[in-house]
Amino acid sequence: MFEGWPPPMLDPAGPYAGVITTLSWILFAMAGAVLLIVLAAIYVALFAKRELQAKLGGKTAVLVGGVALPAVVLTALLIYGLSLTRHLSDPISGNELRVRVTGEMWWWRVAYLDGQGREVIQDANELHIPAGRPVVLELQSADVIHSFWVPRLSGKLDMIPGRRNLMRIQADAPGVFGGQCAEFCGGPHALMGFTVIAHEPAQFARLMRARLTRERTSPAATAAGARLFDTAGCSACHRVAGTDANGLAGPDLTYVGTRRMLGAGILPNNRGTMMGWIGNSQALKPNNRMPPYTALSAAQLTELATYLEAQK
Amino acid sequence: MRRIVGQDPLLRRGQKLADPQHHVAGVVAPLPLAPLVELIGQISGRLPGEWRVGGTDTLSLLAVTGSTGHQPARRVAVVIQSLWCGPRGGTGRDRQGRVKGGHRTAFASIELLSDPTHLRMVTASVGKGIELPLEIARVQPRKSRRAGAISAPIEPVTGKAGIARSGARATQRDDPAVSRETVERGRLAYATAPEQARGDQIKKFAHGNATASSSAMFRPAVVAPLLLMVAACQPPPDQRHSMPMADAANGKAVIARVGCGSCHTIAGVAWPEGKVGPRLDGLAGRALIAGKLPNRPDVLAAFIRDAPALAPGSGMPAMPVTKAEARDIAVYLYQQETR
């Protein structure tokens, strides 16, 4: 359907997801082994000859099989698992790209940080990263507990109100990776998706430079839409950098024209879906916090969509 | 005897309804005071031969004026026989199965007696009253096909009703036929809702008086019926929106990819169910696209790709799909029944 969606869970595209996938397979295998042992024990208990039952049963079997073996196996597994995934929570070295991702109901606020941790580029629902480089995500929440999960790049990590959780992701090669909120966070939780786009490092640098030095232009073709964006009330909740629109309640729309998806990773981004989302997003993502704009005419919807398409 | 056409401005207006592209024509016989008119028509008989469309046919029309106000009920029956239809001339055309779409013209007239308020309807062969269109349905080579006349509203035209617009569907394209076909008997029957109950009465009347129309059976002060008849062939549903090269399964995938559901609730697409544009189920039975375009497969495919060019002002934007994908979407939509 959409590129990178639904995200495959056991197909790692980076080292952090790779160790988790390895650990997952080991756990699957061990769980399978335990299942076989238990089934064999049940078989012996029910159908085997008396002599065999007497030989295998007894207090020793319970102590060895029920206490000692699990303790040893689980401890070994814990140590192995922790060592395998120890790099997931490496402290910030200062060289990584840092991005603050804030879970909101039901979308993601994204802010790229500079070396001092200041927010320099605001975006939403989409994260651009360089391929082959670890990226540190500062995960936090603005309301309830969300969980950030881009299966091909890393594990899940909760976004907890009042806390800042660090998570590392890395993509080995350029690509598009779907993500999803993994902690039930209210009505449209299932429609709270995310997109990570990994670029070649040079291309990523160009993209970030372009955004930092972005000169806002206002072509005549979008003038009507720009006015409407103000008068229809869009600017109360949405921000478009360089204009009067400075609302912070909803996703930042400064680069909405470049996004691959709309509505927090759920719809492809084209003029039709843009108009559909503006016109009645409640039909698409029930109970999201954007009201339906059924009072707008077709021409007005088109003007707004034209304006938003031009926000790059 | 006067021909209806050309005598009365209203009639001329009616004649303009003839749409040579879609074989839609109208008949208008306005009688200034007729408050209610019903027209019941039937193509009786059968187009001869299974090798062609055309031949002679019989059309029976019954026009009934009702009454309101000061006028007593007046009824006028018309029987039209020997309706000419189908292509004319040429030899061997029938056996070759090359059937060309053409108007079938029924003839009828209203004769004005010396007293201008006397009217009578005469049978057959005189005057020109009705163009009964029969469209040649789209036909695939070496496939059997059927075509039948359908009736569109034969609007009773009263003081306010005006000229009814043709309801013929442009989906019935008049491609030249390339194979033989059997034309089934068509039926035209229409009565306005308030008049529906009188159907039986009307029929009885028709049978009793159909052939008596050349006599001076009509009393003064009768106002003649204003008739508008439109008819077209409608192929069976499974052949109506034939798009042999299109792939409905791919159409559904493209619908998901470009997000048609953002605005439309589409049968077979569980999510999203947008509410900005119209529902897209049962599209095969709809007459118009965006309220203005004929619902033809090629038009629908073109509309999906570039709606602003075809229907400026509708909210539908141009969609990022290829021509082939647009056709796939169209055929998928045509397959979805009304939910």
Side-chain angles (χ1 to χ4, degrees), chain A residues 8 41 65 76 86 94 97 121 136 171 181 191 200 240 251 257 263 283 299:
Chain A
R86 65 187 183 280
L97 173 70
I121 298 170
V136 172
C181 179
L191 295 173
E200 294 286 357
V240 177

Side-chain angles (χ1 to χ4, degrees), chain A residues 19-31:
Chain A
V19 292
I20 291 172
T21 307
T22 307
L23 189 60
S24 301
W25 283 119
I26 290 170
L27 288 175
F28 288 149
M30 296 201 60

Side-chain angles (χ1 to χ4, degrees), chain A residues 3-76:
Chain A
E3 197 177 350
W5 188 267
M9 277 177 282
L10 294 171
D11 182 21
Y16 301 109
V19 292
I20 291 172
T21 307
T22 307
L23 189 60
S24 301
W25 283 119
I26 290 170
L27 288 175
F28 288 149
M30 296 201 60
V34 169
L35 178 68
L36 286 177
I37 291 169
V38 170
L39 288 176
I42 291 174
Y43 180 85
V44 168
L46 291 177
F47 305 115
K49 288 180 182 154
R50 280 263 163 215
E51 302 83 61
L52 189 61
Q53 286 177 345
K55 203 169 159 192
L56 291 179
K59 212 176 212 177
T60 321
V62 172
L63 286 176
V64 171
V67 179
L69 188 67
V72 171
V73 168
L74 291 181
T75 306

Side-chain angles (χ1 to χ4, degrees), chain B residues 168-317:
Chain B
R169 296 175 44 174
T171 45
Q172 293 116 34
R173 298 201 287 192
D174 37 7
D175 293 356
V178 290
S179 64
R180 64 182 184 176
E181 71 159 341
T182 306
V183 175
E184 291 193 333
R185 180 188 300 190
R187 175 178 284 271
L188 294 166
Y190 183 85
T192 51
E195 305 290 316
Q196 203 81 52
R198 292 196 344 222
D200 292 339
Q201 196 185 347
I202 291 163
K203 275 177 196 141
K204 206 189 293 173
F205 179 84
H207 293 143
N209 296 284
T211 55
S213 53
S214 58
S215 67
M217 58 174 285
F218 303 108
R219 284 176 231 160
V222 173
V223 287
L226 173 54
L227 312 177
L228 173 67
M229 175 165 37
V230 179
C233 283
Q234 175 150 322
D238 56 338
Q239 298 172 19
R240 219 173 283 161
H241 299 287
S242 172
M243 300 181 83
M245 301 300 286
D247 174 4
N250 185 50
K252 187 176 182 184
V254 175
I255 284 171
R257 194 194 77 216
V258 300
C260 302
S262 302
C263 292
H264 300 285
T265 297
I266 301 170
V269 177
W271 178 90
E273 295 190 334
K275 291 194 169 58
V276 173
R279 294 176 66 92
L280 294 184
D281 50 5
L283 199 63
R286 215 171 283 176
L288 294 175
I289 300 169
K292 65 195 293 189
L293 299 167
N295 185 8
R296 268 175 9 201
D298 54 342
V299 174
L300 180 60
F303 181 77
I304 289 167
R305 279 200 87 205
D306 193 3
L310 284 152
S314 95
M316 172 93 177

Side-chain angles (χ1 to χ4, degrees), chain B residues 76 97 123 195 228 246 301 325 327:
Chain B
V76 180
T123 56
E195 305 290 316
L228 173 67
E325 287 170 342
R327 287 174 60 82

Side-chain angles (χ1 to χ4, degrees), chain B residues 78-102:
Chain B
V78 186
V79 172
I80 302 159
Q81 291 174 329
S82 300
L83 168 66
W84 174 85
C85 56
R88 218 199 296 242
T91 56
R93 66 192 157 84
D94 303 334
R95 299 221 158 74
Q96 294 305 315
R98 289 183 299 106
V99 179
K100 289 186 174 120

